[in-house]
């Protein structure tokens, strides 16, 4: 890893003496205190898992360095030795003007415990950035820090600023594209103060309750369900002391943030800073791992992308978002599709097809292998004829010939899948046996048994059928130390960890973990695989369309999300229009992202319709809004695809329209809506994609040939343009021949009909 110094331009402008006394510091939590990445995190800490072939923590540290942070304290607990060894051997240990120090604990079981320990060390001397080591961002901290400092000067109780970003949840799954549950934030639109914070799991009656005194003190409150918590916080020193004073604060959001919001005695305040064009997201589950990986490959996180962060390993960026490292051996007949990363020293055999995937270093992939939407880590062996779809395969795994991974499978380290064996969808497979006892509700990555006993199932290999239970006694002195506990588990199972041959086929080694009760929904909601259509349909059928969000005190949630007293409910028309424009811009961006995913992942048209319909409901848009946004996305993709002439641009557009005409046509129900698409095309040619201007008539003809637009729609558009100003007739004149041809065809058709009537 070769981190590049970018911090000089992003530093906060302050008094030099003050800056010398208080360099900008950060606390990086290198433990997620969660189990969502098990069984993988039983053997390796989450922050060291590869994200597009680079450890997660490198993205976080690279961003902190570029944002002007000078001292980072990395808190390590689970697998602390692995984290410390990695940091000491990496270039982070010798970066000029950027100090990375580790703080190790074997007793902390939560973020609250971690912050209490850091407070006791007296290492924080001013405002600091609080972040976890699984966060990717390229935002500038300058404005957020300045806002925080200015507020602190005016109000000493303004102790924290949370970074948020717009992200509409799906109205079907009530999850964001990161697989995170719908979040409700009440924010004062004038001061940006956070007034309420509720995630989906915390309301069960279909409504949100806001204290009436909160509304009385804030005449205008916006209740958002379209904000993503980026888990990047700017904090004052008081935050650490508050954790020390309140030992019941364990979870950063559920306990600390919510605790401050309901505490009307101390008067502490939390504010928000919304980023617009920058990127910030946290890897919370396998779905967000998949989403953020794709965002990195598509360079939304620039400059934190593989070819820049890879350091000494030269990575070449090729066409269609493909990255290839040095010393890759690729058969001539192998096909590498778009948005694929191939790591150093990997060998790929004949007629193998790989697309939308990440392949690690030193992998050996045989012939006639198909890999789609998957993440293959380092030193993996995949023999001839294997098929992998939307799976995660960890270091050292061997897949014997003809093996198949169905969508959502996770193979942990060094698992062996037998010949021709099909691993069922959403299976979690590990050499380590699955603990019988689940963790606490906090999902702590520690044994929660006070006796220090962890119970694990063990299979007796002689018969392959008889089962017993193995009790592993863990030294009570290190109870709560996840890395030591996980190490003991691995060590004690070294003799008995291999499952029967029947569990993973002939020659297979490993255990397929069972799904705990209540975990069946989580398997597909949080998977790297796309959500199956039948699941979406079932949710839609079960969903109560009439559910409304109400508040106490009789105040209702308006379409804009703003809470006001009934007497003040009349807002200005200009404000409403501005909100509508903002909503449509956001809607159009979401539709574009959805369309691009559909293109790159070969999503079926019916599935794409479901996703766009979900956005339509979420944003309260019409069908023609959907059609306009889809058409804009199609034309933008055509322009951004490689072309060196107008004819090649026309071919791009023709290919895209031909492939996705059914998606566009689905949202066009009548002539008026088709006319709106023509008007949208005019707008595109004049503003966002002027390259299409000379091709207007040809594309219009193409849409007619593909039966996206009817003859009547084009002729009515032309008729309406006749009375317009000359400046508004530019594209009408371009299309004169087409319109004349359509009119003549229409006249001929009418004459034929008259002749037929006369004959009758």
């Amino acid at each position: 890893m070769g981190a590049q110094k970018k911090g000089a331009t992003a530093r906060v402008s302050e008094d030099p003496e003050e800056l010398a006394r208080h360099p900008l510091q950060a606390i990086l939590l290198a433990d997620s205190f969660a189990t969502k990445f098990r069984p993988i995190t039983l053997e390796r800490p989450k922050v060291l898992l590869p994200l597009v072939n680079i450890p997660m923590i490198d993205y976080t540290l690279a961003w902190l360095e570029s944002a002007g942070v000078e001292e980072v304290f990395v808190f390590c607990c689970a697998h602390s030795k692995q984290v410390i060894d990695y940091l000491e051997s990496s270039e982070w240990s010798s970066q000029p003007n950027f100090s990375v120090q580790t703080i190790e604990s074997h007793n902390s079981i939560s973020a609250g415990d971690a912050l209490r320990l850091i407070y006791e060390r007296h290492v924080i001397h001013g405002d600091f950035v609080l972040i976890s080591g699984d966060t990717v961002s390229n935002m500038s901290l300058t404005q957020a820090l300045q806002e925080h400092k200015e507020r602190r000067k005016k109000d000493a109780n303004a102790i924290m600023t949370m970074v948020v970003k717009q992200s509409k949840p799906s109205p079907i799954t009530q999850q964001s594209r990161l697989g995170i549950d719908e979040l409700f934030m009440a924010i004062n639109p004038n001061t940006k103060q956070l007034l309420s914070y509720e995630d989906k799991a915390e309301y069960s009656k279909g409504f949100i309750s806001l204290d009436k005194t909160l509304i009385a003190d804030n005449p205008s409150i916006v209740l958002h369900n379209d904000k993503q918590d980026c888990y990047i916080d700017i904090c004052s020193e008081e935050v650490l002391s508050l954790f020390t004073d309140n030992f019941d604060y364990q979870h950063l959001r559920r306990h600390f943030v919510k605790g401050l919001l309901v505490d009307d005695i101390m008067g502490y305040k939390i504010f928000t800073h919304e980023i617009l064009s920058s990127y910030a997201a946290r890897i919370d589950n396998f779905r967000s791992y998949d989403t953020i990986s794709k965002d990195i490959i598509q360079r939304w996180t620039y400059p934190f992308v593989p070819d820049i962060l890879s350091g000494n390993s030269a990575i070449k960026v090729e066409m269609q978002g493909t990255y290839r490292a040095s010393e890759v051996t690729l058969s001539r007949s192998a096909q590498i599709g778009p948005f694929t990363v191939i790591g150093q020293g990997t060998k790929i055999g004949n007629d193998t097809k790989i697309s939308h995937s990440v392949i690690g270093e030193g992998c050996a992939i045989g012939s006639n292998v198909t890999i789609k939407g998957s993440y293959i880590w380092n030193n993996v062996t995949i023999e001839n004829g294997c098929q992998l779809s939307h799976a995660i395969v960890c270091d050292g795994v061997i897949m014997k010939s003809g093996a198949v991974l169905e969508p959502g499978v996770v193979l942990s380290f060094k698992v062996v899948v037998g010949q021709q064996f099909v691993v069922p969808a959403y299976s979690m497979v590990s050499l380590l046996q699955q603990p019988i006892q689940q963790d606490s509700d906090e999902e702590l990555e520690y044994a929660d048994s006070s006796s220090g006993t962890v119970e694990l199932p063990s299979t007796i290999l002689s018969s392959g059928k008889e089962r017993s239970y193995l009790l592993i006694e863990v030294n009570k002195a290190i109870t709560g130390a996840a890395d030591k506990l996980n190490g003991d588990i691995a060590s004690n199972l070294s003799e008995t960890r291999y499952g029967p041959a029947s569990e993973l086929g002939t020659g297979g080694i490993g255990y397929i973990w069972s799904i705990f009760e209540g975990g069946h929904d989580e398997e597909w909601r949080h998977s790297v695989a796309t959500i199956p259509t039948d699941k979406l349909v079932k949710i839609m059928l079960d969903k109560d369309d009439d559910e409304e969000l109400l508040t106490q005190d009789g105040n209702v949630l308006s379409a804009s999300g703003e809470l006001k007293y009934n007497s003040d409910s009349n807002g200005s028309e200009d404000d409403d229009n501005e909100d509508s424009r903002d909503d449509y811009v956001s809607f159009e961006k979401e539709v574009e992202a959805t369309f691009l995913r559909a293109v790159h992942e070969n999503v079926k048209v019916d599935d794409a319709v479901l996703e766009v319909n979900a956005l339509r409901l979420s944003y309260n848009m019409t069908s023609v809004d959907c059609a306009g946004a889809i058409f804009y996305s199609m034309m933008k993709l055509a322009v951004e695809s490689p072309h060196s002439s107008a004819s090649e641009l026309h071919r791009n557009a023709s290919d895209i329209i031909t492939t996705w005409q059914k998606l566009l046509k689905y949202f066009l129900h009548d002539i008026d809506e088709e006319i709106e698409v023509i008007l949208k095309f005019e707008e595109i040619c004049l503003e966002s994609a002027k390259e299409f201007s000379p091709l207007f008539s040809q594309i219009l003809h193409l849409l007619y040939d593909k039966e996206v637009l009817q003859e009547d729609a084009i002729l009515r558009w032309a008729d309406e343009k006749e009375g317009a100003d000359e400046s508004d007739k530019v594209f009408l004149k371009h299309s004169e021949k087409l319109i004349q041809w359509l009119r003549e065809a229409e006249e001929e058709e009418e004459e034929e009909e008259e002749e037929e009537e006369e004959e009758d």
Side-chain angles (χ1 to χ4, degrees):
M1 202 294 302
Q4 297 192 0
K5 189 72 176 173
K6 311 174 190 68
T9 60
R11 308 252 169 174
V12 178
S13 177
E14 297 184 59
D15 179 77
E17 293 183 3
E18 183 181 352
L19 188 60
R21 289 196 305 272
H22 301 296
L24 184 57
Q25 299 175 301
I27 294 174
L28 186 156
L29 300 178
D31 195 321
S32 62
F33 303 104
T35 61
K36 292 180 181 178
F37 273 74
R38 281 190 176 184
I40 299 173
T41 48
L42 285 176
E43 301 179 67
R44 184 181 297 179
K46 181 181 173 184
V47 297
L48 294 187
L49 301 184
L51 183 66
V52 195
N53 292 341
I54 295 168
M56 289 184 194
I57 197 171
D58 283 354
Y59 290 93
T60 312
L61 288 171
W63 171 69
L64 289 172
E65 182 192 27
S66 75
V69 173
E70 296 178 68
E71 292 182 0
V72 181
F73 295 94
V74 179
F75 181 86
C76 312
C77 193
H79 303 292
S80 57
K81 188 175 187 303
Q82 289 188 46
V83 177
I84 293 170
D85 288 348
Y86 173 77
L87 291 175
E88 288 180 348
S89 62
S90 73
E91 294 184 18
W92 295 117
S93 62
S94 58
Q95 291 294 314
N97 304 316
F98 186 67
S99 168
V100 178
Q101 303 175 49
T102 56
I103 296 177
E104 186 178 12
S105 170
H106 290 294
N107 300 309
S108 300
I109 61 170
S110 69
D113 286 347
L115 295 181
R116 280 184 278 273
L117 179 61
I118 292 172
Y119 177 76
E120 293 171 1
R121 298 288 179 92
H122 303 289
V123 294
I124 299 298
H125 306 298
D127 293 337
F128 64 95
V129 179
L130 178 60
I131 193 171
S132 58
D134 50 11
T135 303
V136 178
S137 179
N138 61 6
M139 69 170 286
S140 169
L141 277 177
T142 303
Q143 185 180 350
L145 277 167
Q146 288 176 340
E147 290 174 359
H148 178 78
K149 291 178 183 296
E150 289 299 319
R151 277 194 291 262
R152 289 281 293 163
K153 291 177 182 178
K154 298 174 183 177
D155 185 353
N157 285 334
I159 62 171
M160 183 172 171
T161 300
M162 291 171 48
V163 176
V164 299
K165 183 177 176 64
Q166 187 172 54
S167 177
K168 276 273 188 178
S170 164
I172 299 177
T173 62
Q174 294 184 309
Q175 285 186 318
S176 72
R177 61 190 292 265
L178 297 174
I180 298 171
D181 285 338
E182 189 173 25
L183 176 64
F184 290 90
M185 291 185 186
I187 299 173
N188 184 316
N190 300 316
T191 65
K192 307 304 180 187
Q193 183 180 348
L194 181 67
L195 303 171
S196 180
Y197 185 101
E198 302 280 343
D199 63 38
K200 180 176 175 288
E202 292 169 321
Y203 75 92
S204 57
K205 297 180 180 179
F207 61 85
I208 299 285
S209 296
L210 294 181
D211 193 295
K212 58 185 178 183
T213 59
L214 193 68
I215 300 175
D217 294 338
N218 298 271
S220 181
I221 300 176
V222 179
L223 181 58
H224 294 276
N225 74 333
D226 62 347
K227 294 289 182 281
Q228 167 194 321
D229 185 349
C230 299
Y231 289 90
I232 298 173
D233 303 325
I234 300 171
C235 308
S236 67
E237 286 182 89
E238 285 89 338
V239 168
L240 296 178
S241 63
L242 283 171
F243 273 94
T244 303
D245 295 338
N246 297 273
F247 277 87
D248 54 339
Y249 286 170
Q250 300 292 337
H251 193 279
L252 285 175
R253 296 297 188 255
R254 200 174 305 151
H255 298 150
F256 176 69
V257 169
K258 294 196 67 176
L260 289 192
L261 294 178
V262 299
D263 184 358
D264 55 1
I265 297 176
M266 300 301 293
Y268 289 118
K269 299 173 185 176
I270 299 173
F271 291 83
T272 60
H273 173 80
E274 183 173 359
I275 56 175
L276 301 175
S277 58
S278 301
Y279 189 91
R282 183 187 177 197
I283 302 160
D284 179 72
N285 51 60
F286 288 123
R287 183 169 298 285
S288 53
Y289 177 89
D290 174 60
T291 300
I292 294 171
S293 294
K294 290 174 180 174
D295 290 343
I296 292 170
I297 293 170
Q298 296 179 29
R299 306 182 79 78
W300 292 106
T301 61
Y302 188 87
F304 308 115
V305 288
D307 49 306
I308 293 178
L309 288 180
S310 59
N312 297 328
S313 301
I315 293 182
K316 183 181 179 182
V317 185
E318 301 176 347
M319 297 285 286
Q320 294 186 306
T322 299
Y323 298 74
R324 189 185 303 188
S326 58
E327 300 178 18
V328 171
T329 304
L330 182 65
S331 168
R332 288 187 176 182
S333 59
Q335 299 178 30
I336 306 301
F339 301 108
T340 296
V341 179
I342 309 295
Q344 186 174 15
T346 286
K347 299 178 180 179
I348 300 172
N350 297 326
D351 299 313
T352 285
K353 298 178 181 179
I354 304 174
S355 66
H356 302 94
S357 299
V358 177
I359 312 298
E361 297 181 357
C363 295
I365 300 174
S367 300
N368 296 302
V369 173
T370 301
I371 302 174
K372 178 182 176 183
S374 298
Y375 299 91
I376 315 301
W377 294 359
N378 297 333
N379 303 310
V380 172
T381 300
I382 301 175
E383 296 182 358
N384 298 342
C386 291
Q387 298 180 39
L388 298 82
S389 176
H390 301 284
I392 293 178
V393 180
C394 296
D395 295 0
V397 165
I398 298 174
M399 291 184 62
K400 295 187 178 295
S401 60
V404 176
L405 301 187
E406 293 188 339
V409 168
V410 175
L411 301 183
S412 195
F413 301 96
K414 298 183 180 180
V415 163
V416 179
V417 181
Q419 292 182 9
Q420 308 292 325
F421 187 79
V422 178
V423 182
Y426 307 111
S427 296
M428 301 289 168
V429 186
S430 175
L431 293 185
L432 301 182
Q433 294 171 309
Q434 182 178 14
I436 290 179
Q437 297 175 347
Q438 280 187 280
D439 294 329
S440 67
D441 292 338
E442 296 292 331
E443 293 185 312
L444 306 179
E445 190 137 270
Y446 305 95
D448 56 0
S449 171
S450 59
S451 66
T453 299
V454 178
E455 195 172 3
L456 297 162
S458 173
T459 303
I460 296 179
L461 298 178
S462 58
S463 65
K465 297 180 181 178
E466 186 178 353
R467 295 188 181 271
S468 64
Y469 291 95
L470 173 68
L471 295 179
I472 301 175
E473 293 297 330
V474 182
N475 187 339
K476 294 181 181 179
I478 52 91
T479 298
D483 55 336
K484 183 66 169 67
L485 173 59
N486 291 334
D488 286 352
I489 292 174
S491 174
N492 281 276
L493 289 177
S494 60
E495 298 295 326
T496 60
R497 64 184 178 180
Y498 301 125
S502 60
E503 195 155 336
L504 285 171
T506 304
I509 303 174
Y511 293 95
I512 299 178
W513 285 24
S514 60
I515 300 171
F516 284 117
E517 184 178 356
H520 292 276
D521 280 352
E522 301 303 311
E523 65 180 356
W524 56 266
R525 283 182 178 272
H526 292 159
S527 170
V528 296
T530 54
I531 298 178
T533 303
D534 62 320
K535 298 289 186 183
L536 293 174
V537 172
K538 184 177 185 302
I539 295 172
M540 291 179 71
L541 291 175
D542 294 342
K543 190 174 179 61
D544 181 8
D545 294 331
D546 296 326
E547 180 179 343
E548 295 180 352
L549 294 180
L550 304 175
T551 68
Q552 294 177 348
D553 203 37
N555 291 302
V556 297
L557 182 63
S558 68
S560 66
E562 190 165 6
L563 283 171
K564 294 184 178 180
Y565 288 112
N566 291 334
S567 60
D568 298 327
S569 61
N570 294 324
S572 71
E573 187 175 343
D574 289 342
D575 288 343
D576 289 343
N577 290 338
E578 186 176 347
D579 289 342
S580 297
R581 285 193 295 271
D582 290 343
D583 283 347
Y584 184 77
V585 170
S586 299
F587 170 73
E588 194 171 60
K589 288 180 179 178
E590 291 276 10
V591 170
E592 182 187 358
T594 299
F595 176 72
L596 289 176
R597 286 196 297 274
V599 171
H600 298 319
E601 298 174 18
N602 297 318
V603 173
K604 295 179 180 178
V605 170
D606 290 344
D607 295 343
V609 166
L610 276 174
E611 292 191 38
V612 175
N613 256 328
L615 291 172
R616 177 180 65 82
L617 295 171
S618 179
Y619 281 89
N620 194 26
M621 294 293 170
T622 63
S623 289
V624 72
D625 291 328
C626 296
I630 292 168
F631 185 68
Y632 166 79
S633 303
M634 294 166 74
M635 294 298 97
K636 186 177 179 184
L637 177 60
V639 168
E640 293 179 349
S641 298
H643 64 276
S644 57
S645 64
S647 61
E648 290 183 2
L649 176 59
H650 181 270
R651 185 164 58 248
N652 289 349
S654 178
D655 291 344
I656 294 167
I657 290 171
T658 301
T659 304
W660 295 99
Q661 57 185 315
K662 290 183 180 179
L663 174 63
L664 180 57
K665 187 63 180 173
Y666 179 88
F667 293 98
L668 295 173
H669 303 124
D670 55 40
I671 299 297
D672 289 335
E673 293 180 348
E674 292 178 17
I675 293 173
E676 288 295 326
V677 169
I678 302 176
L679 296 174
K680 181 71 174 179
F681 189 28
E682 285 189 278
E683 179 186 318
I684 290 170
C685 291
L686 289 171
E687 297 177 6
S688 56
K690 295 180 180 179
E691 291 177 72
F692 275 117
S693 294
L695 298 174
F696 183 89
S697 178
Q698 294 172 260
I699 301 296
L700 198 62
H701 201 156
L702 176 65
L703 293 169
Y704 170 75
D705 288 341
K706 298 299 180 183
E707 299 183 348
V708 174
L709 299 179
Q710 299 177 61
E711 174 185 315
D712 288 348
I714 297 174
L715 293 179
R716 273 185 53 187
W717 165 76
D719 291 340
E720 291 175 6
K721 285 287 180 179
E722 287 297 337
D725 295 335
E726 288 301 315
S727 61
D728 200 25
K729 292 183 179 180
V730 175
F731 298 111
L732 178 63
K733 293 178 179 178
H734 277 280
S735 309
E736 283 178 347
K737 290 184 179 179
L738 171 63
I739 292 165
Q740 183 180 355
W741 176 75
L742 290 174
R743 290 195 193 282
E744 291 174 353
E746 185 181 35
E747 290 172 0
E748 290 177 4
E749 186 176 346
E750 289 175 354
E751 289 175 359
E752 290 176 0
E753 289 177 355
E754 288 176 0
E755 290 175 0
E756 289 176 359
E757 288 177 0
E758 289 176 359
E759 290 176 0
D760 293 340

